[in-house]
Amino acid sequence: MTARRAALAALLALCAGSAHAARTPFQIRCEDTISKTISVLSSKQNGYTINTQLSYKMLTAMKGVASRNQFVLGLTRTESRVQVGLAGQMLQDPASGYECVAPQIKVQLTYEPVKIYVGSEFPVGTCGYQEILAHEMRHMQAYMAHLPKVEKVVSAALARRFEGKPLYAPAGTARSALAFEIDSGWLPYIKAEMAKVEAVQAQIDSPAEYARLSKACGGEIQKILIKTRALR
């Protein structure tokens, strides 16, 4: 077991034991005098841009669609960012060789500016363009709607974990133990919650939706596809 893992194990074990035993003078000092544990989450949206310079064939290649009969008429792309800051007041007890810390955890969830692409074969203002753009806007809205959901879930999980109480560890190990917990546990957990939006995105790109788009605008989109395929 590494030193960081050992410190984390000691921290968790002492936290669990303190919930059932009478408080020691050091625990009283920690729990009654230092700042309470704080978990702050914030989410930020960075807007979007629309690009009409790339052909649908280029968009198909960007998405990595390999089937000869599948085409990407529009594409929505962004990247999620998760930043976690850790601070907190600390007290030490030379007699016991332990220290306590009230973690102050700040989590920021953001999306990079969303990039929406509409194939250049569909001029701005045409029915085909409007239909494809409306479809891609559904993707963007799914990303934006997901942020507050993740914020709520993660906030509740952090509250359950820390319960507004200080954590204890052998002197000199509390911060490293907390940093290890953040890096090995919380960051992967939050990123996994952010990634759940991809299931919603897959539902938007259903076969039924693709069939609807191909027949939209009185067949305008399908006619353009047939024409451009004939020119290959």
Side-chain angles (χ1 to χ4, degrees):
M1 181 180 290
T2 66
R4 295 183 74 189
R5 289 180 181 273
L8 178 60
L11 183 152
L12 296 177
L14 187 52
C15 288
S18 65
H20 304 288
R23 295 196 303 171
T24 66
F26 179 51
Q27 287 175 310
I28 292 173
R29 187 157 65 97
C30 288
E31 294 170 10
D32 296 350
T33 64
I34 68 174
S35 302
K36 298 297 183 182
T37 296
I38 300 174
S39 299
V40 179
L41 272 81
S42 63
S43 57
K44 182 181 178 182
Q45 302 175 8
N46 289 311
Y48 68 94
T49 59
I50 300 175
N51 184 312
T52 60
Q53 304 303 308
L54 305 179
S55 70
Y56 76 82
K57 295 176 184 177
M58 295 175 70
L59 299 182
T60 301
M62 283 174 62
K63 191 170 182 179
V65 175
S67 173
R68 179 178 176 82
N69 297 316
Q70 283 187 301
F71 304 98
V72 175
L73 309 181
L75 189 61
T76 299
R77 285 194 161 179
T78 187
E79 291 186 17
S80 63
R81 293 284 185 267
V82 179
Q83 292 181 306
V84 180
L86 180 62
Q89 187 178 355
M90 181 180 293
L91 292 177
Q92 292 188 330
D93 181 35
S96 66
Y98 275 79
E99 62 190 11
C100 64
V101 60
Q104 295 185 358
I105 302 169
K106 295 184 179 180
V107 181
Q108 186 175 57
L109 312 174
T110 60
Y111 280 116
E112 293 295 295
V114 179
K115 297 179 181 179
I116 297 177
Y117 299 88
V118 177
S120 58
E121 295 85 359
F122 309 95
V124 176
T126 62
C127 180
Y129 171 86
Q130 295 296 347
E131 285 285 348
I132 296 168
L133 179 60
H135 173 88
E136 297 307 321
M137 291 295 286
R138 289 176 60 195
H139 284 296
M140 188 193 72
Q141 291 301 327
Y143 282 121
M144 298 304 103
H146 191 61
L147 276 180
K149 294 178 182 178
V150 176
E151 187 173 352
K152 183 177 180 180
V153 168
V154 173
S155 181
L158 285 169
R160 289 192 301 270
R161 165 64 180 93
F162 296 106
E163 300 180 319
K165 298 178 181 179
L167 302 179
Y168 301 86
T173 65
R175 291 196 186 281
S176 60
L178 278 171
F180 178 79
E181 180 176 346
I182 295 296
D183 292 341
S184 64
W186 286 103
L187 274 175
Y189 166 73
I190 296 171
K191 289 179 180 179
E193 288 296 319
M194 292 286 280
K196 287 181 179 180
V197 71
E198 297 307 322
V200 179
Q201 303 293 9
Q203 291 174 359
I204 294 173
D205 285 336
S206 66
E209 173 66 1
Y210 281 135
R212 185 194 69 79
L213 278 174
S214 69
K215 299 175 183 177
C217 303
E220 172 188 317
I221 294 176
Q222 195 161 27
K223 290 176 183 176
I224 291 175
L225 289 175
I226 294 172
K227 179 179 179 181
T228 53
R229 289 177 66 186
L231 296 174
R232 287 194 300 178

